[in-house]
Amino acid sequence: MSLEELIQKCKKNERKAQAELYRTFSPVLFGICLKYSSNKTEAEDNLHDSFMTIYEKIGQYKSKGSFEGWLKRITVNTVLQKYRKKEYLNAVTENTEDIVEVEQEDADISLQTLLGYIQELPTKYRTTFNLYVLDGHSHKEISELLGTTVGTSKSNLARARSILKEKIETKTVQSIVGILIFGLENT
């Protein structure tokens, strides 16, 4: 079945087509949900909610532009709307003058470890970090998406970077201590 046929059948609420749509696109959309969630279970819930929204709104898709892009946009918006309702993204008052940059050169850290650290961030910091760093949105766009101010977006990003830098530095120190301890035992 072609993608266009699949979309048309989903618009008619055909369950087999919806199941096929889920099988086809859930891996990609789960990755997005995982990026914005604090753990796998929350990501699974977000994926479920996203597909419910997709099934509900698929009639609005007009076959203009990438269907996968449309699905991704629905997924991100569904997850962000869920967090907005829970008020995870309330404004914070922090000094944004000290922007912390996390340099990849500063530490030898795996992508999996870094993603784990990102997932551990509080929701407001993780969401802002993902939108800015991973998705390339501006602070103005983020403030519009999250219903906050540009200053809050900048502050949340600075705090997220600060937390990540601290975790990376702690991991690096632990690695060095481990090398020193175990390296000395082998001599």
Side-chain angles (χ1 to χ4, degrees), residues 56-153:
E56 178 184 316
K57 296 185 181 236
I58 198 162
Q60 297 174 9
Y61 179 69
K62 304 297 181 200
S63 298
K64 293 181 181 176
S66 162
F67 181 65
E68 186 173 326
W70 183 82
L71 294 173
K72 289 176 179 179
R73 190 169 53 252
I74 293 287
T75 301
V76 169
N77 288 338
T78 299
V79 173
L80 294 180
Q81 182 179 17
K82 183 177 180 179
Y83 293 141
R84 275 193 299 263
K85 285 181 181 177
K86 291 188 177 183
E87 297 185 13
Y88 286 119
L89 305 168
N90 286 341
V92 294
T93 54
E94 291 185 30
N95 184 355
T96 60
E97 293 175 14
D98 299 326
I99 304 272
V100 178
E101 293 293 330
V102 178
E103 297 292 333
Q104 181 64 26
E105 300 166 1
D106 291 347
D108 185 21
I109 186 168
S110 73
L111 179 59
Q112 184 176 1
T113 301
L114 182 59
L115 289 175
Y117 291 161
I118 292 169
Q119 284 185 316
E120 292 172 2
L121 290 170
T123 302
K124 61 186 171 185
Y125 302 144
R126 180 180 64 247
T127 304
T128 302
F129 182 86
N130 286 333
L131 286 169
Y132 188 84
V133 175
L134 302 179
D135 294 341
H137 290 283
S138 69
H139 286 296
K140 183 176 188 232
E141 292 169 329
I142 294 169
S143 68
E144 291 169 0
L145 283 169
L146 302 180
T148 62
T149 66
V150 170
T152 297
S153 176

